[in-house]
C-alpha cells in the first residue's frame, strides 16, 4: 500500500525554525517527485514546494522562497521541509504529496496522486 | 504565476442532482489540470488528471473536460458522500497553483 506519513509539526514562535518530515512507503520513492502543500485554517490549498526524484530540481512558491527548504533522502524514503524565520501566515496543515506519472501516448502528466494525512504547524508567540 | 479562478465558490444542491464546477486559468495550461475532492478534516483525494482522465477507483459519475484555459468538473447523480470541497490545480508551470475551491452543500 502506498503511504505517506508526515511528522514534525507543532507550535513555533515567530522567527523560529521547524523541520517537517514525510516518510514514504509502498512505491519506488526515488523515481517520483514529492511536493508539500499547505492549508491555513478555514482556507484553500496552497502549493508550497516540489523536489524531483533525484533531488536535483526544486521549486518554491513565492510566499516561502528563501525561508522554506525542501530536501529528500532517497536512502531513507523521506522528504523534509525545513522552515526558518517562520511567520504567522505559515500556520497551516502541511501535506506531503507524491507526484504521479501518468502517460497518455507520448505526453506524461504529474498530478498529486497520493497525499499524507498532514501535520499541523502553528506559529504564535 | 498562473492564476486559477474557480466558480462557484459554494453550491447548495440535492442528492441525485448534477453539478458543474468551472476553472479558468490565466494562461494556457494545455491539459495539465487535475481535480481533487477534500472531505472535512481529511487530505485531498485525486479525482481527475490530464483534465479528463478518471483516477483509478473514482466513480464514473465524476467527469472532467476542457483544455487550454477553461475546464469543468461534472458530477452526475450526486451521492451523499460527494458533499465536500473540490479544487482544481494546474501543473503545467511552476509555481503550481490551485483554484480557490468549491464547497458542495446539501440544500
Amino acid at each position: 500500500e502506498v503511504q505517506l506519513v508526515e511528522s514534525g509539526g507543532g507550535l513555533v514562535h515567530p522567527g523560529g525554525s521547524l523541520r517537517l518530515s514525510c516518510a514514504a512507503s509502498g512505491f519506488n520513492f526515488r523515481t517520483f517527485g514529492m511536493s508539500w502543500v499547505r492549508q491555513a485554517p478555514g482556507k484553500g490549498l496552497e502549493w508550497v514546494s516540489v523536489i524531483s526524484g533525484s533531488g536535483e530540481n526544486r521549486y518554491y512558491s513565492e510566499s516561502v522562497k528563501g525561508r522554506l527548504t525542501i530536501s529528500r533522502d532517497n536512502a531513507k524514503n523521506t522528504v523534509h521541509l525545513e522552515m526558518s524565520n517562520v511567520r504567522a501566515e505559515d500556520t497551516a496543515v502541511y501535506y506531503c504529496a507524491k507526484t504521479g506519472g501518468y502517460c497518455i501516448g507520448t505526453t506524461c502528466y504529474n498530478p498529486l496522486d497520493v497525499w499524507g494525512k498532514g501535520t499541523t504547524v502553528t506559529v504564535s508567540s | 504565476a498562473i492564476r486559477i479562478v474557480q466558480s462557484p465558490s459554494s453550491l447548495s444542491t440535492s442528492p441525485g442532482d448534477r453539478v458543474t464546477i468551472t476553472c479558468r486559468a490565466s494562461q494556457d495550461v494545455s491539459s495539465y489540470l487535475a481535480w481533487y475532492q477534500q472531505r472535512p478534516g481529511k487530505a485531498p483525494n485525486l479525482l481527475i488528471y490530464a483534465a479528463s482522465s478518471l483516477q483509478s477507483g473514482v466513480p464514473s459519475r465524476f467527469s472532467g473536460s476542457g483544455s487550454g484555459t477553461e475546464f469543468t468538473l461534472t458530477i452526475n447523480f450526486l451521492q451523499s458522500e460527494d458533499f465536500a470541497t473540490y479544487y482544481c490545480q494546474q501543473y503545467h508551470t511552476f509555481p503550481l497553483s490551485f483554484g480557490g475551491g468549491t464547497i458542495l452543500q446539501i440544500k
Side-chain angles (χ1 to χ4, degrees), chain B residues 78-102:
Chain B
L78 274 170
Q79 305 290 296
S80 57
E81 61 265 29
D82 300 337
F83 290 92
T85 302
Y86 294 83
Y87 296 92
C88 59
Q89 180 223 357
Q90 68 81 19
Y91 49 96
H92 179 273
T93 304
F94 292 114
L96 307 186
S97 46
F98 288 91
T102 296

Side-chain angles (χ1 to χ4, degrees), chain A residues 39-63:
Chain A
Q39 187 168 35
K43 302 296 184 183
L45 301 172
E46 180 189 11
W47 176 80
V48 172
S49 182
V50 65
I51 187 168
S52 62
S54 66
E56 284 186 23
N57 298 304
R58 311 171 196 212
Y59 298 91
Y60 299 91
S61 68
E62 284 299 320
S63 62

Side-chain angles (χ1 to χ4, degrees), chain A residues 16-34:
Chain A
S17 300
L18 200 64
R19 188 193 204 205
L20 306 184
S21 298
C22 171
S25 59
F27 64 100
N28 190 353
F29 181 71
R30 65 182 64 244
T31 65
F32 292 95
M34 298 294 294

